[in-house]
């Protein structure tokens, strides 16, 4: 039998590409327009360097921390992703892997599994919502998540409904009916391992968003939920303050790039914010979060927990983000590649790769605790940083 273990996230991605139907893989690649932001998210980390020590380094290294009142065995959180059809166990497998490795699970309201099923296997589940539907609907979804055991609420604010990718968007059907099966058959039949994994469960991916169901109604399709979101008037800061108040517990605003926005997030009393450009899937040309992070951390880091997501593929990326001011990072595609490559074990494998990389970078830098990391530990090229919204 082939060895299922992989040594890097890049290898997990290669296996995901080999295993997934083209459309499903394309949905995970995502990105928008010209792909400027997705590219910058990755290449910006390559431009940062380390200045390692060679002797006198610490024999022990501590990387645990807390975010939104949750314990993290390492400074990594599962970022919410609303994707379908990657693996039959979907977000439940991801949540189990995260629980086994001692980190919180971010669950998208557009996910393919219910918050009840996910929170049942990870008692550190953070539920993510968009500003979608009227206040009564938002409240009902939030209360459902709370009743299921979600420990925190994450509202994602960066989305501009951009469409069109220069490399082409995958065709994703509204639902899997006969017409869709016939159209997708040529690409799906080329991926027997993926097909078999679903066939074994006796179910085909239904492309629905169970957490977006209205009480007593059946789950809408992914596109049905997306349509509801598109029709919703955009939120004001007062709306977000209302949401935070309704929730009452640990609250994160995800998608901040600018210092002035970060200050408003502090003003509304949030627990955490994520410096993020939605993995480059939003307004193309938004700089990589790692470039915007230091200005945000300098401005509000003592008043709110600052997290970064976008472009994390190795433990050394995590260490760079921490040194530049993040308390922890969230990961998206990295765990999706692991899930596609080898289910729950693949997600655990990705988390182990990151842990090993964090440990190795800390060793090289002579750090015994992640709290010792500072900006001086990083080689930052001139013109690297972007202080947005400071004037
Ligand atoms: C396929 C895909 C779906 C996503 N869906 C959501 C979502 O439903 N809600 C959300 O807040 N962010 C979503 N994101 C953004 C991620 O939470 C995260 O910000 C991003 O993936 C981080 O970049 P990375 O993939 O380079 O780690 C999605 C990202 C991807 C790649």
């Amino acid at each position: 039998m082939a060895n299922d273990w992989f040594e890097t996230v890049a290898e997990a991605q290669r296996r995901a590409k080999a295993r997934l139907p083209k459309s499903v893989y394309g949905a995970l690649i995502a990105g928008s327009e010209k792909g400027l932001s997705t590219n910058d998210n990755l290449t910006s980390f390559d431009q940062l360097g380390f200045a390692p020590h060679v002797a006198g380094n610490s024999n022990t290294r501590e990387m645990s921390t807390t975010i939104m009142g949750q314990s993290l065995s390492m400074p990594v959180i599962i970022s919410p992703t609303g994707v379908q059809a990657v693996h039959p166990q979907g977000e439940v497998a991801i949540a189990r892997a995260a629980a086994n490795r001692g980190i919180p699970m971010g669950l998208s309201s557009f996910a393919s599994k219910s918050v009840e099923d996910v929170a049942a296997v990870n008692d550190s589940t953070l539920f993510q919502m968009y500003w979608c539907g009227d206040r009564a609907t938002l409240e009902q979804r939030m209360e459902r998540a709370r009743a299921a055991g979600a420990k925190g609420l994450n509202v994602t604010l960066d989305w501009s409904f951009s469409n069109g990718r220069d490399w082409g968007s995958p065709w994703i059907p509204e639902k899997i009916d006969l017409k869709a099966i016939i159209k997708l058959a040529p690409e799906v039949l080329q991926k027997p391992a993926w097909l078999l994994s679903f066939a074994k469960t006796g179910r085909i991916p239904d492309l629905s968003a169970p957490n977006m169901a209205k009480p007593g109604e059946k789950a809408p399709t992914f596109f049905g939920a997306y349509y509801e979101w598109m029709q919703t008037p955009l939120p004001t800061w007062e709306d977000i303050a209302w949401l935070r108040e309704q929730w009452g517990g640990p609250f994160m605003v995800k998608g901040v790039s600018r210092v002035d926005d970060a200050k408003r997030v502090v003003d509304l009393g949030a627990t955490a914010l994520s410096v993020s450009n939605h993995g480059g899937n939003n307004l193309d040309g938004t700089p990589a979060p790692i470039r915007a992070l230091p200005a945000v951390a300098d401005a509000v880091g003592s008043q709110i927990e600052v997290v970064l997501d976008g472009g994390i593929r190795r433990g050394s990326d995590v260490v760079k983000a921490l040194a530049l001011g993040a308390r922890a990072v969230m990961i998206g595609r990295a765990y999706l590649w692991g899930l596609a490559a080898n289910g729950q074990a693949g997600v655990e494998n990705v988390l182990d790769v990151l842990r090993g990389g964090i440990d190795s970078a800390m060793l090289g830098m002579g750090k015994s605790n992640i709290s010792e990391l500072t900006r001086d530990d990083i080689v930052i090229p001139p013109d690297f940083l972007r202080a947005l919204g400071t004037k």
Side-chain angles (χ1 to χ4, degrees), residues 78-92:
I78 299 293
S79 207
T81 55
V83 277
Q84 313 269 324
V86 178
H87 187 274
Q89 288 163 19
E91 294 82 3
V92 172

Side-chain angles (χ1 to χ4, degrees), residues 249-312:
F251 186 85
M252 176 190 283
V253 172
K254 175 169 176 283
V256 173
S257 286
R258 301 171 56 108
V259 169
D260 47 4
D261 281 358
K263 288 180 177 165
R264 301 204 73 153
V265 172
V266 170
D267 290 345
L268 62 83
T271 323
L273 66 80
S274 185
V275 181
S276 165
N277 62 12
H278 217 112
N281 305 338
N282 183 31
L283 185 60
D284 198 30
T286 310
I290 190 71
R291 298 183 189 277
L293 170 70
V296 172
D298 287 349
V300 300
S302 60
Q303 301 165 72
I304 193 167
E305 294 173 348
V306 175
V307 172
L308 168 138
D309 71 81
I312 301 286

Side-chain angles (χ1 to χ4, degrees), residues 27-28 30 79-83 108 110 128 130 156 254 276 278-279 281 309-313 331-333 336:
L28 304 193
S79 207
T81 55
V83 277
S108 169
F110 278 70
Q128 178 267 330
Y130 292 110
T156 302
K254 175 169 176 283
S276 165
H278 217 112
N281 305 338
D309 71 81
I312 301 286
R313 297 293 183 275
I331 56 167
R333 291 177 185 83
L336 291 170

Side-chain angles (χ1 to χ4, degrees), residues 70-383:
Q70 303 304 302
S71 302
L72 282 65
S73 69
M74 64 173 166
V76 175
I77 300 171
I78 299 293
S79 207
T81 55
V83 277
Q84 313 269 324
V86 178
H87 187 274
Q89 288 163 19
E91 294 82 3
V92 172
I94 300 163
R96 280 208 175 96
N100 286 347
R101 294 301 183 265
I103 65 165
M105 166 71 191
L107 179 70
S108 169
S109 46
F110 278 70
S112 65
K113 300 290 182 207
S114 75
V115 63
E116 289 80 9
D117 288 352
V118 167
V121 299
N122 188 315
D123 65 5
S124 198
T125 293
L126 309 173
F127 187 65
Q128 178 267 330
M129 292 170 73
Y130 292 110
W131 187 262
C132 174
D134 58 19
R135 283 189 175 195
T137 306
L138 286 157
E139 223 178 324
Q140 170 263 314
R141 288 187 186 129
M142 181 194 325
E143 290 311 328
R144 176 179 165 187
R146 195 199 307 276
K151 298 290 175 7
L153 191 74
N154 173 346
V155 59
T156 302
L157 295 183
D158 64 334
W159 194 252
S160 53
F161 299 100
S162 75
N163 49 47
R165 296 168 176 136
D166 288 358
W167 56 97
S169 292
W171 181 72
I172 303 171
E174 169 79 19
K175 60 179 194 273
I176 304 286
D177 53 12
L178 188 61
K179 192 170 133 243
I181 289 172
I182 292 167
K183 189 159 175 185
L184 288 169
E187 58 168 288
V188 166
L189 292 173
Q190 285 175 31
K191 306 291 179 178
W194 176 87
L195 192 57
L196 187 65
S197 70
F198 278 94
K200 276 190 202 149
T201 68
R203 299 166 85 184
I204 49 171
D206 68 358
L207 307 187
S208 69
N211 299 304
M212 298 295 282
K214 304 234 160 69
E217 287 180 21
K218 110 179 201 293
T221 61
F222 185 86
F223 286 108
Y226 194 80
Y227 182 75
E228 182 190 14
W229 183 21
M230 288 180 87
Q231 299 307 306
T232 305
L234 298 169
T236 62
W237 285 108
E238 288 69 36
D239 286 327
I240 304 305
W242 170 83
L243 195 66
R244 190 207 65 75
E245 212 166 286
Q246 297 305 306
W247 175 253
F251 186 85
M252 176 190 283
V253 172
K254 175 169 176 283
V256 173
S257 286
R258 301 171 56 108
V259 169
D260 47 4
D261 281 358
K263 288 180 177 165
R264 301 204 73 153
V265 172
V266 170
D267 290 345
L268 62 83
T271 323
L273 66 80
S274 185
V275 181
S276 165
N277 62 12
H278 217 112
N281 305 338
N282 183 31
L283 185 60
D284 198 30
T286 310
I290 190 71
R291 298 183 189 277
L293 170 70
V296 172
D298 287 349
V300 300
S302 60
Q303 301 165 72
I304 193 167
E305 294 173 348
V306 175
V307 172
L308 168 138
D309 71 81
I312 301 286
R313 297 293 183 275
R314 49 190 80 243
S316 58
D317 295 340
V318 181
V319 169
K320 289 171 182 174
L322 266 53
L324 264 56
R327 189 177 168 92
V329 303
M330 302 205 290
I331 56 167
R333 291 177 185 83
Y335 74 78
L336 291 170
W337 304 138
L339 178 71
N342 195 22
Q344 178 185 329
V347 179
E348 289 167 356
N349 192 155
V350 162
L351 297 177
D352 293 343
V353 166
L354 294 181
R355 184 185 299 277
I358 297 169
D359 189 65
S360 159
M362 285 176 69
L363 188 163
M365 309 279 286
K367 306 290 176 187
S368 61
N369 194 300
I370 49 172
S371 63
E372 296 164 10
L373 290 162
T374 72
R375 215 166 289 173
D376 291 343
D377 295 316
I378 305 296
V379 184
I380 307 174
D383 296 334

